[in-house]
Amino acid sequence: MVKRAMQQWLRVIITLLILLITEGHPVDITYLQSAVAKGAVCLDGSPPAYHFDKGFGAGVNNWFIQLEGGAWCNNATTCLSRTKTRLGSSKLMVKTVSFSGILSNKAKFNPDFYNWNRIRIRYCDGSSFTGDVEAVDPRTKVYYRGARIFSAVMEDFLAKGMKSAQNAILAGCSAGSLAAILHCDRFKGLLPPGAKVKCLSDAGFFINAKTISGASHIEQFYSDVVNTHGSAKNLPQSCTSRLKPGLCFFPQNVAQQIKTPLFLVNAAYDSWQIKNILAPGVADPRGTWRNCKLDILKCSSAQLETMQGYRNEFLKALNGLGPSSTRGYYINSCYAHCQTGTQETWLRDDSPRLASTTIAKAVGDWFYDRNRFQEIDCPYPCDKTCKNRNFESDVQPVDMDL
């Protein structure tokens, strides 16, 4: 039994490697050493980093910037722990990453953005690029400087040609996607007045929901993140002027006031949210949700009913944003988290479809004003294009144990 399971895993790994080789392309890391003098550093004091694949042809003046994901740290202990990983230190990041999906340089796999300047900013601050505390923690020697990192890398890109951008998108995955929402209007303000600038959130619409035990753990967690990192001054003032800063980490309280066009790609049954907001370990001490969280096919009828309730809360938060002629959304019913950075979910023959449309086409049509895409999938399990996916591409496994 064990041998057979190992053989199956090996087949999966080999298949994934083959897909990366055929569908992705390697891009080397760039360390922004000049940022250190500005105090724009990772949690451990190392320089920020990014991967930059230059645009070509008609795309040389177009910029796509993706902010990496990887959850958050909410106190001195959890942030110190991250300094021992690539989520807190650029010293521990891999030197080369594979660009695929919306970062692909092939027209076949990414028809609308393949020849743009495509950048992936690495995530090493634990605050969705919002923190800025001048003093260094004397006990842990941890730096809380996420907002400075955002500013430093943007200055670098402007100097590298983004100041002449004709088209630009600020995007992200998970915690990076939340950062794209929070920095959306700020990003637009950096670019030429005549540029077409929009923002894309992939799996970043985290909602303020209670756990299966009825506790508001994610609300308290976000409040701790904001307090630890000194994030309040870098959150949208349109929100902090009316709500507590911790509540302004929730897109449902921020997105309505964003002036820059925003597109939301999200699974209504977001696998990360189910695992960490609805049914975190602290709310499930007996582990009755463990198998369900790993594979939606193993959920009991009662657990599926609870998940349907979560979907209803998600849609209520989304609808609470109100109508918008510039906002787009692609809310499918896959059990997934982050769907734009993986070729299989972005654009392939077997990719998920909503209203007979791939994510790639929906985002491209919205950006170029070919079609305003605003679609919500039917409830699980009616969508057969999902194939029960549980992708968490671009996301470091993080057990937040909320």
Side-chain angles (χ1 to χ4, degrees):
M1 181 74 71
V2 174
K3 183 177 180 181
R4 185 181 304 166
M6 289 182 66
Q7 289 175 337
Q8 290 176 340
W9 272 110
L10 282 172
R11 292 193 192 99
V12 170
I13 292 171
I14 291 171
T15 300
L16 289 174
L17 287 173
I18 291 173
L19 288 174
L20 284 174
I21 293 171
T22 57
E23 296 179 348
H25 64 286
V27 180
D28 292 334
I29 198 168
T30 296
Y31 299 99
L32 189 56
Q33 299 289 351
S34 61
V36 177
K38 303 172 184 176
V41 293
C42 299
L43 289 166
D44 71 334
S46 57
Y50 57 79
H51 302 259
F52 188 168
D53 198 23
K54 291 184 178 181
F56 55 93
V60 293
N61 289 321
N62 299 334
W63 294 73
F64 180 87
I65 298 177
Q66 181 194 68
L67 300 167
E68 186 180 38
W72 311 268
C73 59
N74 66 326
N75 55 45
T77 300
T78 57
C79 290
L80 177 61
S81 177
R82 283 171 78 100
T83 65
K84 308 300 190 297
T85 75
R86 56 100 171 167
L87 289 171
S89 174
S90 61
K91 299 175 184 177
L92 301 175
M93 295 173 182
V94 294
K95 301 298 187 292
T96 304
V97 298
S98 179
F99 275 19
S100 62
I102 199 169
L103 291 172
S104 174
N105 64 352
K106 298 179 176 63
K108 173 184 177 182
F109 296 132
N110 188 26
D112 285 308
F113 312 112
Y114 73 97
N115 59 358
W116 286 31
N117 293 286
R118 285 152 290 104
I119 301 167
R120 179 180 177 183
I121 302 174
R122 303 303 297 270
Y123 182 41
C124 64
D125 66 270
S127 71
S128 285
F129 298 90
T130 63
D132 192 354
V133 177
E134 180 64 35
V136 180
D137 190 316
R139 183 173 62 85
T140 62
K141 302 297 188 294
V142 171
Y143 296 75
Y144 302 103
R145 305 284 180 76
R148 294 195 197 186
I149 290 176
F150 183 84
S151 296
V153 294
M154 291 302 155
E155 288 176 13
D156 189 53
F157 302 151
L158 288 168
K160 284 181 165 63
M162 196 171 71
K163 63 184 178 184
S164 301
Q166 295 174 349
N167 297 290
I169 295 176
L170 179 66
C173 158
S174 193
S177 177
L178 174 59
I181 294 174
L182 297 176
H183 286 290
C184 185
D185 284 343
R186 186 176 295 121
F187 176 70
K188 179 176 174 55
L190 296 173
L191 299 174
K196 179 190 284 286
V197 182
K198 298 187 179 184
C199 299
L200 169 64
S201 166
D202 180 7
F205 201 79
F206 301 97
I207 66 170
N208 189 3
K210 289 180 168 54
T211 69
I212 52 175
S213 65
S216 300
H217 281 290
I218 187 63
E219 182 177 321
Q220 183 59 54
F221 184 87
Y222 273 178
S223 179
D224 292 342
V225 171
V226 170
N227 289 334
T228 297
H229 292 266
S231 300
K233 59 182 173 291
N234 296 309
L235 298 176
Q237 191 174 3
S238 59
C239 180
T240 56
S241 62
R242 5 179 227 106
L243 298 173
K244 294 178 180 178
L247 293 175
C248 296
F249 232 54
F250 290 102
Q252 67 198 80
N253 297 326
V254 174
Q256 187 177 25
Q257 285 77 40
I258 292 175
K259 299 176 182 178
T260 307
L262 172 68
F263 194 99
L264 302 169
V265 175
N266 228 106
Y269 308 88
D270 185 285
S271 57
W272 193 94
Q273 293 195 45
I274 297 298
K275 294 173 184 177
N276 295 280
I277 297 180
L278 176 65
V282 70
D284 182 34
R286 296 184 179 181
T288 56
W289 276 73
R290 186 175 296 116
N291 290 333
C292 173
K293 290 191 293 184
L294 292 173
D295 185 349
I296 196 171
L297 294 177
K298 296 180 180 179
C299 296
S300 67
S301 57
Q303 288 169 331
L304 286 174
E305 185 176 349
T306 300
M307 289 169 67
Q308 299 293 8
Y310 192 87
R311 173 182 180 270
N312 292 338
E313 285 192 64
F314 180 93
L315 297 181
K316 181 180 179 180
L318 179 68
N319 292 331
L321 299 181
S324 171
S325 60
T326 63
R327 189 184 308 128
Y329 48 84
Y330 190 110
I331 311 299
N332 61 19
S333 290
C334 301
Y335 188 58
H337 184 68
C338 291
Q339 301 178 82
T340 62
T342 301
Q343 201 62 54
E344 187 169 0
T345 45
W346 172 247
L347 179 60
R348 223 171 60 180
D349 290 342
D350 61 345
S351 294
R353 279 165 170 74
L354 179 53
S356 301
T357 306
T358 62
I359 296 174
K361 187 176 190 313
V363 173
D365 285 351
W366 165 79
F367 181 82
Y368 285 110
D369 301 314
R370 296 189 296 249
N371 180 40
R372 184 183 70 173
F373 195 92
Q374 296 180 334
E375 295 287 343
I376 297 173
D377 209 350
C378 50
Y380 174 87
C382 72
D383 187 344
K384 305 305 179 185
T385 70
C386 290
K387 300 180 182 177
N388 297 306
R389 290 176 166 88
N390 182 16
F391 292 110
E392 295 199 7
S393 63
D394 201 29
V395 182
Q396 177 83 355
V398 177
D399 182 8
M400 288 167 51
D401 197 27
L402 298 177

